[in-house]
Amino acid sequence: MGAVTPREREAFHVMQGRLVELLLRYDAPRFGKTFAERVAEGLDDPRLRRYRELAVLFYLREELFASIIPRIKRRLSFVAPREVHVESLPPRGRIDWSRTFSTSLRNHPGEPPLEVQTRQRRRHFATPENLLAVVTLIEYRAAVQRVLDTEATQDRAQALRHPLQEIIGACTRELVFPQFAGLERASSEIVEGRVGTTPSELERQVARGLVPGRNSAYDDLLAWRRRLQQLTLGQRDAPAVHTTAFGADPDADNRLYQLWIFFELADLLRTEGCCGPEDLALRPLRLRFQWEGCSYVLYHDQAVPQPVAAWSVQRGDARRVPGVRPDFYLWRTDPPRASVRDGDTEIWREPGVIWDAKYYRERESDTAPATPIKRMIADLSLLGEAYGVLLFAFLKERSELTPEYLLAPDPVRNQTLVPDQQVHVAQVPPALPGEESKLRTTLLALLTDAHQRLRTPAVIRCHGVFLDGLTVNAHGALAGMEALRHRDGSALTPADTPAETALDTMLLCPKPHIGPWRVDIVSLERDCCRNAQLCHIVGAGTPDIQRPSRLTRLEDIAKAIRTVDDAEHGERAEAATRQVRLIAQRYADLIQPNLAEFTAWVRDELDVGEQFEQFPFLTPI
C-alpha cells in the first residue's frame, strides 16, 4: 500500500491524542489497555500538547499513589540533631553532669542543683526529600485542576464526572497525612515562588543527598517528576532504542480507528442531546440513541443479534458455519421492527446497516480494495443484510468531487447474489486541528444515510396474484407446472395432484418487505394463510387475515358484479370490465370460439345491457 504519507502519520497522532480525551470522558478503564509507554521517538507537537498533558497526568497517577507515596510514608526521611536543654527535675533527656555542675557552681555555689542540662534528639521531617514529595502533590493537583477547568468550559457536568477528579481527591487525602500536613505551608511557598528555594533546587538537593541503602522511593519520585515533564506522545514510524514515549500500538491501528469512530459518535450524539450517560454500555460497547423520532442501537465488534439469514451445514459433519462480527451494526428499535416467526423461530426481521472500519489507504490502482469488499459481501450474504458501508480513513483521490463510491451487483447479469445488495465505500478521516466541523458533517451524513434506510417500518401484507388454467407463457402455450419449483428446487405440488388442476391452486406471492426481487410461488390449499415460512402475513400475526380475492373466471366476475353496492360500483365494475376483456382476448387467441355465442352469454348472464356488446380487439370469425 506504499509508504505512509505525512498526512497519514499526522492523522494517526491526532487520532490517538483525541482518543485519549474521549476514553477519559467515557471509558477510563479502557485507557490502560489502549495506551502505554513504548520504545519510540517522542512527538512534541504544539497542537497535541493538550492531549499529551491529559494523557500523562492520568497515566502516571497509579505509580504515584500505589507505589511511590506509600513507600515514602513508610520510611520518611528525617533529621535528629542533638540539642542541649535546661530542664527541671525530673528531667526527660540524658543529663550532662559536667555542664550541670559547672553552671550550678557558677550561679549557686554550695547549693545542690535544682535544674539540670540534658542532651535530646528530636526528629524533624522538614527535609528536602519530604518537601519535594509535598511539592509534587501540590503541583500535581494544580495541573489536574487546570485541565478540569478547561473541560468545565465545554461541559460542567462532564467535568464533575471526569476521572481526573479522583486524582484531586487522592492528592488532598495524602496531604492530610500528619507529617505532610506540617510541611504543606512551606511547600506551597516554594511552589508559588515566595521563598528563595525552587522545586528544581529541591530536586538537585535530593539528588545530591541520596545514598545507597536509603529509601529508594525518593529516587523513584525524581524519575516520576522527570517523566511528568518530559514524556511525550510517540511517533508512529520512528522507533528509537533508547527513547520511550507514550501512545498506542501502531500495529493495532484498525482497532484504534474503530474505537475512535465509536466514541466520536457517542460524543456527537451526547452533544446533540440524542442520548444520555445511561445509554452507553461499555462491556461490550453498545450505544442507544434517538434520531429524528426513531430509536437506534449501535453495536461494536459483536455478533449480530437475531440475524436476518442463517446458513447451515446441509451435508457432511455438523460443523458450525463461521460467525460474523462486523465492526459496527446499527438497527432500529422503535418503531418496533417488523418480523415473522414460525413458532419460536424468527425467520425474518427488518435488516440493519453494517459498518466496517479500515485504517489504511486503498492501493494506488483503478480497482476497488479487494479484501475488505470481499469480506463485506461475505458478511452481508451470511447475515442476509442488504447494505454495508466500508469506512476508510484514507481513500485515493480521484478526479471526481468525492472519493466515495457505491458497489452493487449488475442487474443485467445473471446474478446469484441478492440483487439489491450494496456496498458503500466512504471516507471518515481523523480530524486534524481546525477540521472538527468537517468531521462532524461527515458523521452526521453517515447517521442520516442509515436513518433514511431504516426509519420506515416494513408493512407486511398480502400481494398474492393467482395463476390459473388460462395463463399462457411467452410462446403462447398454456402454462404448466413442469418448470415451476420452490426456491430450494423442490416440487411445488404433491405427486398425486393432477397436473391439469395444479396450476389453478398456485399463486405468485411478492414480498416487497424483503426486497423487490423476492417472489414466491405458493399453494392456495397448503401455504396461503397456513405456512408461516411462505405466507408471512400468518407469521406477522396480522388481524383479520383474508386470502387474496381473484377475478379470473367469468363465473367469479359475474358473482362479484351482482354483489357490488352503490359505493363500490364504479371501481368494481371497471375492474370486472378489464378482466372480461383480458379473458375474452385469451379465449379468442387460444381456441377461436364462436363470438356470437360468447357475447350472448355475457349479455344474458351479467345482465348489463349493451356495455360488453363490442370487443374491438377481438378478431372476427
Side-chain angles (χ1 to χ4, degrees):
M1 286 183 287
V4 178
T5 65
R7 176 176 173 80
E8 292 171 12
R9 184 180 296 109
E10 184 181 29
F12 179 83
H13 300 151
V14 173
M15 180 176 66
Q16 71 171 350
R18 172 62 174 163
L19 189 57
V20 167
E21 184 176 37
L22 292 171
L23 287 181
L24 293 186
R25 187 174 296 174
Y26 297 108
D27 190 6
R30 198 181 298 271
F31 176 89
K33 300 177 182 179
T34 308
F35 296 96
E37 291 183 66
R38 305 182 184 281
V39 178
E41 287 286 352
L43 176 70
D44 189 15
D45 190 331
R47 298 172 299 176
L48 303 181
R49 284 177 184 170
R50 179 170 66 91
Y51 298 140
R52 176 260 168 203
E53 183 179 20
L54 185 62
V56 175
L57 286 174
F58 189 78
Y59 172 69
L60 294 178
R61 80 201 187 287
E62 189 70 22
E63 182 180 2
L64 181 66
F65 295 120
S67 176
I68 297 176
I69 294 297
R71 288 190 289 131
I72 288 177
K73 289 162 63 176
R74 285 195 296 268
R75 293 183 59 189
L76 281 170
S77 68
F78 62 90
V79 290
R82 289 187 176 185
E83 298 178 354
V84 177
H85 296 272
V86 178
E87 297 184 71
S88 299
L89 297 175
R92 299 179 58 187
R94 192 170 184 177
I95 299 175
D96 187 341
W97 291 109
S98 61
R99 287 177 178 271
T100 299
F101 287 143
S102 299
T103 303
S104 178
L105 288 174
R106 185 174 61 250
N107 297 330
H108 306 285
E111 297 181 7
L114 299 178
E115 294 180 336
V116 294
Q117 296 191 27
T118 60
R119 296 190 186 97
Q120 296 183 13
R121 287 183 179 271
R122 293 188 176 179
R123 292 184 177 183
H124 297 283
F125 294 96
T127 63
E129 294 85 355
N130 293 334
L131 285 171
L132 183 63
V134 178
V135 165
T136 299
L137 291 172
I138 294 174
E139 289 181 330
Y140 193 27
R141 183 173 61 180
V144 171
Q145 187 62 56
R146 286 194 299 271
V147 174
L148 287 175
D149 291 342
T150 303
E151 185 81 13
T153 60
Q154 303 175 2
D155 188 343
R156 181 171 297 275
Q158 182 64 39
L160 294 175
R161 296 190 297 267
H162 203 284
L164 289 182
Q165 292 284 3
E166 300 176 4
I167 297 178
I168 292 181
C171 289
T172 302
R173 288 192 297 271
E174 295 297 345
L175 290 173
V176 176
F177 182 64
Q179 283 74 17
F180 288 169
L183 302 177
E184 186 171 0
R185 170 179 286 186
S187 301
S188 297
E189 292 177 348
I190 294 174
V191 172
E192 296 168 3
R194 289 186 289 168
V195 294
T197 305
T198 63
S200 299
E201 178 61 28
L202 272 181
E203 290 180 354
R204 288 191 288 271
Q205 292 178 18
V206 172
R208 288 195 300 266
L210 292 178
V211 295
R214 295 186 63 181
N215 191 350
S216 62
Y218 295 111
D219 298 271
D220 295 339
L221 180 64
L222 288 173
W224 187 91
R225 289 179 60 87
R226 286 193 297 270
R227 292 163 67 202
L228 182 65
Q229 298 167 4
Q230 301 172 6
L231 193 61
T232 61
L233 296 176
Q235 298 191 56
R236 176 171 185 170
D237 300 313
V241 178
H242 302 295
T243 306
T244 59
F246 182 80
D249 184 3
D251 294 334
D253 52 3
N254 262 3
R255 181 72 175 180
L256 196 73
Y257 184 54
Q258 295 168 23
L259 290 175
W260 171 74
I261 290 178
F262 183 89
F263 287 107
E264 284 286 8
L265 285 169
D267 190 63
L268 171 65
L269 293 168
R270 180 80 65 86
T271 304
E272 295 291 324
C274 299
C275 64
E278 69 282 356
D279 294 318
L280 177 62
L282 302 176
R283 304 292 182 274
L285 283 175
R286 184 177 67 251
L287 177 65
R288 298 184 181 276
F289 63 93
Q290 305 288 323
W291 190 262
E292 296 184 2
C294 295
S295 298
Y296 294 95
V297 58
L298 176 66
Y299 295 90
H300 172 253
D301 193 23
Q302 299 170 55
V304 173
Q306 304 170 2
V308 177
W311 286 50
S312 60
V313 176
Q314 300 296 317
R315 288 197 301 269
D317 56 2
R319 299 185 183 184
R320 293 188 301 171
V321 176
V324 178
R325 293 172 63 96
D327 297 338
F328 300 98
Y329 185 70
L330 178 70
W331 68 351
R332 192 190 74 248
T333 58
D334 186 61
R337 296 171 297 108
S339 65
V340 177
R341 305 190 70 86
D342 184 14
D344 295 333
T345 304
E346 186 174 46
I347 59 177
W348 176 86
R349 65 158 173 82
E350 288 186 61
V353 169
I354 293 176
W355 297 337
D356 269 355
K358 307 298 177 188
Y359 189 82
Y360 53 82
R361 175 167 39 98
E362 58 179 342
R363 295 180 182 275
E364 296 293 339
S365 67
D366 294 332
T367 60
T371 301
I373 289 179
K374 289 178 181 178
R375 177 180 174 181
M376 174 65 79
I377 294 174
D379 289 351
L380 293 175
S381 298
L382 288 172
L383 295 172
E385 301 284 345
Y387 185 67
V389 184
L390 276 173
L391 305 177
F392 280 90
F394 310 100
L395 290 175
K396 187 181 72 172
E397 296 296 335
R398 291 176 169 82
S399 59
E400 295 83 1
L401 295 178
T402 173
E404 299 183 4
Y405 51 94
L406 190 70
L407 297 97
D410 186 351
V412 178
R413 304 296 183 91
N414 181 22
Q415 302 289 355
T416 58
L417 291 173
V418 177
D420 61 344
Q421 224 171 51
Q422 293 181 337
V423 177
H424 180 201
V425 180
Q427 184 175 13
V428 183
L432 301 179
E435 298 180 356
E436 292 81 3
S437 60
K438 184 177 179 181
L439 172 64
R440 183 179 182 276
T441 302
T442 302
L443 295 180
L444 288 176
L446 188 66
L447 291 170
T448 301
D449 172 63
H451 174 66
Q452 294 294 332
R453 295 176 176 275
L454 303 180
R455 65 178 179 178
T456 305
V459 178
I460 303 177
R461 61 177 56 155
C462 181
H463 298 272
V465 178
F466 276 99
L467 301 174
D468 56 62
L470 292 177
T471 302
V472 296
N473 60 25
H475 300 287
L478 288 173
M481 297 294 297
E482 295 78 11
L484 301 181
R485 292 288 186 273
H486 283 297
R487 285 182 290 118
D488 60 359
S490 60
L492 282 167
T493 58
D496 56 353
T497 303
E500 60 273 11
T501 63
L503 195 63
D504 288 330
T505 66
M506 295 291 110
L507 69 156
L508 300 176
C509 184
K511 294 182 172 59
H513 56 277
I514 296 180
W517 49 270
R518 176 67 178 271
V519 179
D520 291 330
I521 302 178
V522 302
S523 169
L524 173 66
E525 298 175 347
R526 299 189 314 276
D527 303 321
C528 187
C529 298
R530 290 184 175 87
N531 183 355
Q533 296 184 15
L534 292 176
C535 182
H536 285 181
I537 62 174
V538 177
T542 306
D544 191 21
I545 296 175
Q546 300 291 333
R547 295 188 181 186
S549 60
R550 63 194 301 175
L551 291 173
T552 55
R553 295 180 300 180
L554 292 178
E555 290 83 357
D556 298 328
I557 298 170
K559 181 179 178 182
I561 292 179
R562 292 192 189 98
T563 57
V564 166
D565 57 24
D566 293 339
E568 300 177 346
H569 179 75
E571 182 179 349
R572 294 291 295 273
E574 183 180 353
T577 301
R578 291 195 301 268
Q579 291 292 341
V580 169
R581 290 176 181 272
L582 179 60
I583 294 172
Q585 178 68 66
R586 292 178 180 175
Y587 187 61
D589 290 343
L590 288 173
I591 60 177
Q592 295 295 313
N594 185 339
L595 292 184
E597 182 179 326
F598 172 72
T599 54
W601 182 92
V602 171
R603 181 177 61 253
D604 299 337
E605 183 68 22
L606 299 183
D607 193 19
V608 290
E610 302 298 326
Q611 182 175 358
F612 298 111
E613 190 75 30
Q614 298 297 326
F615 295 92
F617 52 83
L618 295 180
T619 302
I621 295 180

